[in-house]
Amino acid sequence: MSHSTKTQGKLSSFFDILVQSLKGHEVDLTSISIKRAIILLAIPMMLEMAMESVFALVDLYFVGHLKNSSHAIQTVGLTESVLTIIYSLAIGLSMAATAVVARRIGEKNPEAASKAGMQTIVIAVFVNIIISILGFIYAKDILLLMGASTETADQGVAFVRIMMGGSIIIVLLFLINGIFRGAGNAAIAMRSLWIANIANIILCPIFINGLGPIPAFGLTGAAIATTIGRGLGVSYQVYNLFSGKNILKIRISHFLPDFVQIKAIVKIAAPAIFQFVIASCSWVFLAELVATTGGDTGSAGYQTALRLMMFFMLPAWGLSNAAATLVGQNLGAGHIDRAEKSVFQTLKYIIIFMAVVSVLFLTCGHLFAAFFTSDEKVIAIASQALKILSIGFVIYGAAMVFSSAFNGAGDTWTPTKINVFAFWLFQIPLAYFLAKYLEMGPTGVFIAIPTAEAGIAVAAFILFKKGKWKKTMV
């Protein structure tokens, strides 16, 4: 009877935390139990990142059923590979925003946190205007540079122009969510992605296949739907920023450039952006290498595998982001030991999650791939890629947690240096050697990915234990 009562009590407690995490009640994350703090942050963060990955999967599903779908799938995949550079800008800035906002919240200074978040938005808008213009003008050249055939590039130019031209929306979606995460309100970030995805799921078939007065835009319709969906998500974020109902109280004066603070933010953001640009450029190179050694079919299979992989990797990244917020807030509050314990507790959770995902891909990878395309050759390549990539999933998870911990502390240089070595000095040469010199083609590229990630995880663990991140000033 006593055992049954304890079990019911634990279940009741878990559901209370679950409801609280989804509603987004603000609590002092530096004073409650570490496990409770992680769950409060991780659940909405995982759901948020799952929704971010759904964008590409929804596009992939609908365009995968168009005529000559291999060209459409390749365009979506290659464009996403290029957009990862935009994501790098967005993620780097959001990392800086999370670190600074979390530190100020930990210090119990929400006014400074609010201003820091808005100064980051000022930086993002200025930089992204230039990128959007260049992406719109050179859309076709981007696809050709990525290894797409002339036919694929001709069909995909409008898709790329819309996605690149509207990339400011992508940046704001990531960045504002980073601000809310730093403040400890991950539920708003989650809901903005839900709104954006629901809109995308509804609009994708309408704009791709046509409905009533709306013509069938085909591949281009996927870009239109995605951009509108993300735009609605940003609108929801902006409403919450200015509602005055959260710990962050935004004023118009916070948007006036404060060059001293902008310099401090850039000091954190620059290596964070570079950190993800390094990884993104590596993925771009690998995508081009697969396209040139495996042709349109090989590229389509690889891009299908990557989209499926990211569907599960992004929730894991959301879980690791809990460590970033907790490290930032606890360092701000002066609880250094608690910051370190939060990282290792998060690590336990992510290992369990990634182990489950590995089993799914090893046993059911071909079924997942078949859901997005009926091309047997594409399915075969995607299935092979998933089996090889999934071997390193637990390692990926560990690397993400430690990298997020460094970033949450404002020590963005450490994971950047790790990425330079692991991706540019090891992964790319290894992939090229296996694919070209040993003539393994796309398989060589697949093997190089988990091999490099293993190196990242080991290096990150060693440097984390040294503890230099504890002394980072933000």
Side-chain angles (χ1 to χ4, degrees):
M1 186 70 178
S2 176
H3 177 73
S4 176
T5 303
K6 287 182 179 180
T7 302
Q8 290 177 357
K10 288 181 178 179
L11 285 174
S12 177
S13 177
F14 174 77
F15 282 114
D16 287 343
I17 297 173
L18 176 63
V19 171
Q20 186 177 2
S21 70
L22 296 177
K23 286 185 176 180
H25 292 309
E26 291 173 349
V27 296
D28 185 353
L29 298 172
T30 64
S31 61
I32 62 174
S33 75
I34 292 175
K35 289 183 179 180
R36 185 182 183 89
I38 292 173
I39 294 173
L40 284 174
L41 289 170
I43 290 175
M45 284 181 178
M46 291 179 75
L47 290 173
E48 173 200 347
M49 288 300 172
M51 288 299 98
E52 180 58 44
S53 65
V54 167
F55 277 115
L57 288 181
V58 169
D59 291 349
L60 191 64
Y61 174 81
F62 286 111
V63 303
H65 291 80
L66 292 171
K67 187 178 180 181
N68 297 322
S69 64
S70 65
H71 294 295
I73 290 174
Q74 188 181 10
T75 297
V76 172
L78 293 178
T79 303
E80 280 291 316
S81 295
V82 175
L83 281 174
T84 52
I85 297 175
I86 305 294
Y87 295 149
S88 298
L89 171 65
I91 294 167
L93 285 168
S94 71
M95 284 290 183
T98 298
V100 177
V101 170
R103 191 69 69 96
R104 300 292 88 83
I105 292 296
E107 294 168 353
K108 307 298 186 287
N109 190 351
E111 168 68 17
S114 302
K115 183 179 178 181
M118 297 313 101
Q119 292 296 299
T120 314
I121 291 178
V122 171
I123 299 169
V125 171
F126 175 77
V127 173
N128 199 256
I129 287 173
I130 300 171
I131 295 173
S132 295
I133 293 171
L134 292 175
F136 185 86
I137 295 172
Y138 297 105
K140 184 175 180 179
D141 300 283
I142 289 172
L143 285 174
L144 292 173
L145 185 64
M146 287 293 295
S149 63
T150 303
E151 184 180 358
T152 297
D154 288 335
Q155 291 184 20
V157 65
F159 180 90
V160 178
R161 280 179 174 166
I162 294 171
M163 295 298 286
M164 293 295 290
S167 59
I168 182 62
I169 296 174
I170 297 173
V171 173
L172 288 176
L173 195 61
F174 271 96
L175 175 54
I176 298 175
N177 277 352
I179 292 170
F180 281 123
R181 285 195 298 269
N185 197 334
I188 292 177
M190 173 195 69
R191 287 195 289 267
S192 68
L193 265 297
W194 277 96
I195 290 169
N197 268 284
I198 290 171
N200 187 45
I201 291 170
I202 294 172
L203 295 175
C204 246
I206 294 174
F207 282 103
I208 291 174
N209 303 314
L211 180 67
I214 300 175
F217 289 98
L219 174 61
T220 304
I224 296 172
T226 299
T227 302
I228 293 175
R230 282 183 167 134
L232 292 173
V234 171
S235 298
Y236 175 78
Q237 292 174 325
V238 171
Y239 165 76
N240 279 280
L241 276 177
F242 287 94
S243 68
K245 298 176 181 178
N246 306 295
I247 192 171
L248 299 176
K249 310 298 182 184
I250 308 302
R251 298 197 302 268
I252 297 299
S253 61
H254 291 158
F255 290 94
L256 297 175
D258 180 338
F259 293 104
V260 174
Q261 185 156 56
I262 286 175
K263 183 179 178 181
I265 292 171
V266 169
K267 188 177 179 180
I268 301 171
I273 292 169
F274 187 43
Q275 175 188 147
F276 287 95
V277 167
I278 291 165
S280 300
C281 288
S282 177
W283 286 107
V284 168
F285 177 85
L286 296 183
E288 191 275 338
L289 188 58
V290 170
T292 54
T293 59
D296 286 346
T297 302
S299 180
Y302 176 59
Q303 296 301 336
T304 300
L306 280 186
R307 300 289 77 76
L308 285 164
M309 173 182 163
M310 292 309 295
F311 179 75
F312 290 98
M313 291 292 283
L314 283 173
W317 189 17
L319 176 53
S320 73
N321 279 339
T325 298
L326 290 174
V327 166
Q329 290 202 12
N330 280 295
L331 287 180
H335 304 323
I336 298 175
D337 289 343
R338 182 182 168 88
E340 185 169 4
K341 289 177 181 177
S342 298
V343 174
F344 284 105
Q345 187 63 46
T346 306
L347 180 63
K348 292 178 183 178
Y349 293 148
I350 207 166
I351 286 174
I352 295 171
F353 176 79
M354 296 306 284
V356 173
V357 175
S358 294
V359 173
L360 283 174
F361 276 172
L362 285 170
T363 57
C364 307
H366 62 290
L367 297 177
F368 290 130
F371 182 73
F372 293 99
T373 179
S374 57
D375 189 318
E376 291 297 331
K377 292 181 180 179
V378 173
I379 293 173
I381 293 172
S383 178
Q384 181 197 32
L386 288 173
K387 287 180 180 178
I388 295 173
L389 295 174
S390 64
I391 293 172
F393 272 11
V394 171
I395 297 170
Y396 303 161
M400 280 190 283
V401 170
F402 289 121
S403 293
S404 292
F406 288 128
N407 289 323
D411 178 15
T412 49
W413 271 117
T414 295
T416 300
K417 292 173 183 177
I418 293 173
N419 282 2
V420 168
F421 179 82
F423 288 121
W424 286 1
L425 301 181
F426 182 72
Q427 185 185 71
I428 290 177
L430 177 61
Y432 191 86
F433 175 76
L434 295 176
K436 293 276 192 177
Y437 284 93
L438 296 188
E439 298 182 350
M440 296 176 68
T443 302
V445 176
F446 305 156
I447 293 173
I449 294 172
T451 306
E453 291 289 345
I456 292 175
V458 172
F461 172 74
I462 293 172
L463 293 173
F464 181 81
K465 289 298 291 182
K466 285 189 174 181
K468 183 181 176 182
W469 57 274
K470 300 176 184 177
K471 301 175 183 178
T472 305
M473 301 300 295
V474 173

